[in-house]
Amino acid sequence: MDVSGFPVERSIRPYLIGLGLALILTAIPFALVATHALPRLTTLVIIAIAAVIQILVHLGFFLHIGFRSTPRENLIAMAFAAVLIVFMVGGTLWIMFDLHHRMMV
Amino acid sequence: MTATTTMDATPISHEKYEERAFGFWIYLMSDAIIFALLFATYVVMLGNTAGGPTGKELFSLERAAGETALLLLSSATFGFAAVALANADKSRSLLWLLVTVALGAGFLFLEFREFRGMIAQGAGPDRSGFLSAFFTLVGTHGVHVSIGILGIFVIIGQVLIKGLTTPVVSRLARLGLFWHFLDIIWVAIFSVVYLPGLF
Amino acid sequence: MEIFGRLTIDSLPFYSAIAASGAAVTMLGALSVMALITYFGAWRLVLFDWVSSLDHKKIGIMYIMIALVMLLRGFIDAAMMRSQQAIAYNNDGYLPPGHFDQIFTSHGTIMIFFMAMPFLSGLINLIMPQQIGARDVAFPFMNSVNLWLTAAGAGLVLISLVIGQFSTAGWTGYPPYSGAEYNPGVGVDYWLWAVLISGVGSTMSGINFLVTIIKCRAPGMYLFRMPLFTWTVFVTSILMIFAFPALTVACGMLALDRTFGMHFFTNAMGGNMMNYINLFWLWGHPEVYILILPAFGVFSEVVATFSQKRLFGYISLVLATVAIGLLSFTVWLHHFFTMGSSANVNAFFGIMTTIIAVPTGVKVFDWLLTMYRGRIIFKPPMLFTIGFLVTFVIGGLSGVLLAMPPVDYLLHNTTFLIAHFHNMIIPGVLFGYLAGYMFWFPKAFGFKLNEKWGAWSFWCWIIGFYIAFMPLYVLGLMGMPRRMEHYDVAAWQMHLIIAAVGAFIIFLGIVCLGVQLALSIRDRQQALDLTGDPWNGRSLEWATSSPPAPYNFAVLPKVRSVDAFWDMKQRGVAYHQPDRYVDLVLPKNSFIGAFIGGAGFVFGFAMVWYMWWLAVLCLAAIALAVIVRASDDDTDYVMLASDVKEIEDARCAELAKAPRNEMADDPGFAGEPVLEASA
């Protein structure tokens, strides 16, 4: 951790690795949609998984988030935000689709 | 009987930068909630096309791919700028920052063309609930990118005028967090909006 | 493109006598304030010592000033509603419906956004940094910005009385009624921008407080040694950070609908107005916990100090607070049980709602057990606390009743609901912040408030509360809906008349607060707090002088236990002076926070009246201000050790003038004199 409060990264290697992985993880879902090679549900699941992995790649290689390198309070804040997003988005989808089902709105 | 003194006062201490880094991180978490709710609204309103055009009719896979490539590359080039900065290479860092701006501007240009085209064919945000949700989600991301580009210009100015001082470097680090965060949101956008919409 | 947008001469309130008088009173109020400042020759002081101050203590005091002024303004709304409903049986009363609707809207909006939020932000700002042994909050400049953004929001509500009208859509602003089709006028827009602008301030305040608590604690101040007030602030800040984005999204989308013709919540064209309600209450439920948790924190401090006993069950209080914070994100649907969800959805949220009552119950027992076997001192903050303990529980019980969907189907949007939430907010939030105001007033200003008038204020408030709101429970069970401008059920009128009497008694309570303040200022020399510790307190804010030095602590305290200051007093190290002082770094004053607030106000005004050129100009001005500040690396100044020494020496001289604990004359006082004679 340097004086600016962030981990210092002196080499471009993580960015190159991250870029490479991200490109692959982008190309796969785009290709699947372009070619319609797999059925819809399977494609959607692969898109979702690739997105999650790519987000982790961004967090690890671009933002240098790591269990040891990142301060604990930052990790806890991120975990808390993730939990809340699950509640809020999940709850919203549950409520709104339930209402849609019952009242066709 | 007196307590010993403590050297607890230093000008712009290391602690201050840690506080700013942490505070900015928390701000990004709150921004994540905003985007999460915009995504939730988009999904809820997917079918609310009010007889108007759907995503399949409006989106373009090529353009989405172009936007994605530009933004992803810009994240990498921002990283190159940050590395140059860490190695105290002022001119290289400025170069990569300018490349980042160009890539970001390219992204915005494509997006602007996309929005303008949709509005021209009567598929603007006032056409249906689905389109309101689309324009707001993607548009909010675009507004953030614009602010990021403005921020990069400000930092470039500060680097030119003040040099690579600690405050300037710390601001660039926070801006980097912001920029990478926006690319993460974009991954979600193409995964939730464009790809499923175009399938 | 019109320069004035849709602003015309007709926007002035000459269409009704009541509107015109409201406008006149508002203008008169603003002008009197300016006249008073001019009369006392205090413009330099006001501008250069207060408006531009980045000192958390001054910012806290200014927040509380906003809260007290808006309490009065919001109360006038309440008085008008009560008097209207008392007489409007089978007649129209004196308030036409459009007016009545504006009044209930502004009452709720003001009390929540511009009374309770500033009150808690003010107390937190004033006290929390001192409680953790810090010199200021983490981001003093942002603190100033947030204050002035809140003021901007309040300003928009106030100016709606003078130019244009306020919203008639309730403080929750449900579409489609609040949309452009049914409400094309300026009222809802005023409401939207007041809420959005102050909401940004609240989100950023949450960030500020959280970082301060995590990063700025004194050495030895571990999380589990923090006072309970700071713990509640900690959880409150988390709620502020994560809940306000939902409000920004809900109101932002409504603003997009209204301003740009989008269809998030419109009747046709694919709008889904139920999503507004979902998003609004995603914010709204955590919001009520944002309002109450700091009040719980105040009660914890007050009950321990005035029972002269250590707080009972510290860990359970902390865990209960954290549990409340977490659970507050899981209950929001109970605000719209009747919207039509299926039984499973309603049941889940109903169960979660009953569960969230449990940790609050734990806290009530902890407070009662703190009092048990204590030596109680019945000063006004303690009166408010005891009043809270009895009355709030009743409100909680009515809440558990409402948590059951079938019951809620009968009682939703009746006056039963009104009674329930006022039964939480008045004894909970308001009594808590009034207790905090009276408890910490000496710390802020260096002299104590008049206790007799404080006690009378309490009695008027609590008696007035019961008389005003218990009839509303009965009326709700009798089927009376909320927000009725007139009615034709004879059986209701008696209860409404009683409720109006209660409102009048509350008015007397407010008068007592005013008298208390005036008399206390007049008599301040007889009630000076020379030690900084008027109540024989337990936490670190009592270690500083009253009022504290700009830097709070010349030497950061070394904390060894919970109740850090009490522990220092017991060990005899509370008032030691160091051999040497060091230079201290403090933030310079800055007008940029007020500038941003002012630009925010004008921006909101411009958006309301469709003056797009002005809105863009204000955004540019704000951006410029931010860039200027972000490019400024010379924002602090150094206070030399010699100046620090001067201030500390003066403090020690004052301490010498008051060698015994000031509470020692109180009946029931059981504590030790806590000051050692300075050498």
Side-chain angles (χ1 to χ4, degrees), chain C residues 174 338 408 411-418 480-483:
Chain C
Y174 283 3
T338 58
D408 189 74
L411 296 173
H412 178 64
N413 274 352
T414 62
T415 58
F416 189 95
L417 173 67
I418 307 291
M480 178 178 178
R482 68 192 290 191
R483 296 175 174 170

Side-chain angles (χ1 to χ4, degrees), chain C residues 84-85 87-93 95-97 100 480-481 483-489 492 496:
Chain C
Q84 162 76 7
Q85 287 193 331
I87 64 177
Y89 163 59
N90 264 341
N91 69 73
D92 286 333
L95 284 177
F100 184 81
M480 178 178 178
R483 296 175 174 170
M484 294 200 83
E485 182 259 347
H486 69 271
Y487 53 95
D488 57 10
V489 179
W492 294 348
L496 289 166

Side-chain angles (χ1 to χ4, degrees), chain C residues 6-7 10-16 19 73 96 98-99 102 105-106 156-168 183-191 258 605 608-609:
Chain C
R6 53 179 175 166
L7 180 61
D10 293 327
S11 314
L12 291 173
F14 297 125
Y15 51 86
S16 122
R73 164 82 180 77
H99 221 106
Q102 283 183 59
T105 305
S106 74
L156 283 170
V157 175
L158 289 173
I159 203 155
S160 73
L161 270 183
V162 183
I163 308 179
Q165 299 190 320
F166 197 59
S167 168
T168 54
N183 237 307
V186 297
V188 177
D189 295 303
Y190 265 122
W191 175 79
R258 290 178 60 84
F605 187 84
V608 168
W609 293 101

Side-chain angles (χ1 to χ4, degrees), chain C residues 72 453 457 461 505-517:
Chain C
L72 190 58
W453 285 94
S457 168
W461 268 101
I505 299 176
I506 291 180
F507 169 70
L508 294 178
I510 296 183
V511 168
C512 289
L513 284 175
V515 172
Q516 180 194 38
L517 187 59

